Amino acid sequence: MQHKRASTNISLHEIIANRWSPRAFDAHRVVSQNKILSLLEAARWAPSCFNDQPWRYIVFDKSKDETAWENALTILAEKNQLWAKNAPLLILAIAANNFSHNGNANRWSHYDTGAATLNLVLQAESVGLVAHQMGGFDADNARTIFEIPQDYTLMSMLAIGYQAEETVLPDEFRQAEVEDRARNNIDELVFHGAWGR
């Protein structure tokens, strides 16, 4: 299996440095209920505007409800289905569009849901799981199938499980699975005092 620790300019916490998004999942290893609950508890403790906690998750556990899991798999883009079919756990991340305390539009809900989902992903790393987030899914179809109200935005699908060797992947994904990780230089991403500085 690939262990693709980030090549960082300064020392980072192990969980952050070691987290990456593999596509090779072990289809035969079930994620325990205790580990699933730990992921959701990590998300629950994320910060949010007004402590509104706008994130919602639908969990699709193949070992508990294979029909629901298969429905979740079908909403993924075809290319994502090719590898996500081995993930024992799929999770749909959803953001409430409005504040719960006053019904006003919550323009921070997507940001807050991203923060909660990152907590979930880092917790997965800490308990020996891997997670791969996907934007490639049919949100309209998912809304219909899973009866999600209109005042929620479907943000991402996550595939979660135990990592497998890259040989379980179709050929088109194997090279990316073994390539080194890369990021833009920090001076391309961060400015000081004003834009572009």
Side-chain angles (χ1 to χ4, degrees):
M1 286 179 283
Q2 296 297 312
H3 298 285
K4 293 167 42 164
R5 183 180 169 80
S7 177
T8 62
N9 295 332
I10 193 162
S11 180
L12 296 179
H13 193 284
E14 291 294 305
I15 291 173
I16 296 170
N18 290 329
R19 186 226 57 85
W20 66 289
S21 303
R23 289 182 176 90
F25 287 91
D26 186 337
H28 306 292
R29 289 188 71 185
V30 172
V31 178
S32 73
Q33 187 64 22
N34 202 44
K35 285 191 177 183
I36 294 170
L37 290 174
S38 80
L39 305 182
L40 301 171
E41 185 71 3
R44 186 169 83 98
W45 285 97
S48 62
C49 184
F50 287 111
N51 193 29
D52 199 70
Q53 303 163 56
W55 49 82
R56 303 292 183 270
Y57 296 98
I58 301 178
V59 177
F60 306 98
D61 183 347
K62 188 175 184 180
S63 71
K64 297 278 190 275
D65 187 344
E66 190 165 355
T67 301
W69 179 91
E70 286 173 356
N71 287 339
L73 187 68
T74 65
I75 68 163
L76 298 180
E78 284 185 31
K79 194 167 184 179
N80 286 336
Q81 289 181 39
L82 295 174
W83 57 267
K85 66 183 181 185
N86 290 327
L89 195 63
L90 297 171
I91 298 179
L92 177 56
I94 304 161
N97 295 335
N98 302 306
F99 284 115
S100 60
H101 67 279
N102 62 14
N104 292 340
N106 180 358
R107 78 174 188 90
W108 301 276
S109 70
H110 296 183
Y111 179 88
D112 293 344
T113 300
T117 303
L118 179 58
N119 270 17
L120 187 158
V121 167
L122 293 176
Q123 179 67 13
E125 174 68 31
S126 78
V127 297
L129 299 169
V130 292
H132 190 114
Q133 300 179 70
M134 296 167 275
F137 70 98
D138 185 338
D140 292 334
N141 197 20
R143 184 181 302 281
T144 300
I145 293 172
F146 305 119
E147 302 176 353
I148 299 165
Q150 289 296 322
D151 56 341
Y152 289 83
T153 300
L154 286 69
M155 301 302 300
S156 66
M157 284 288 291
L158 295 88
I160 297 173
Y162 292 93
Q163 189 180 3
E165 298 291 344
E166 68 274 7
T167 53
V168 304
L169 292 169
D171 291 343
E172 64 187 295
F173 300 109
R174 288 185 190 168
Q175 185 59 39
E177 198 79 354
V178 299
E179 286 175 349
D180 290 337
R181 296 167 62 196
R183 290 293 188 272
N184 292 339
N185 291 325
I186 201 163
D187 59 3
E188 298 174 65
L189 306 172
V190 178
F191 308 128
H192 296 275
W195 187 268
R197 272 199 239 162

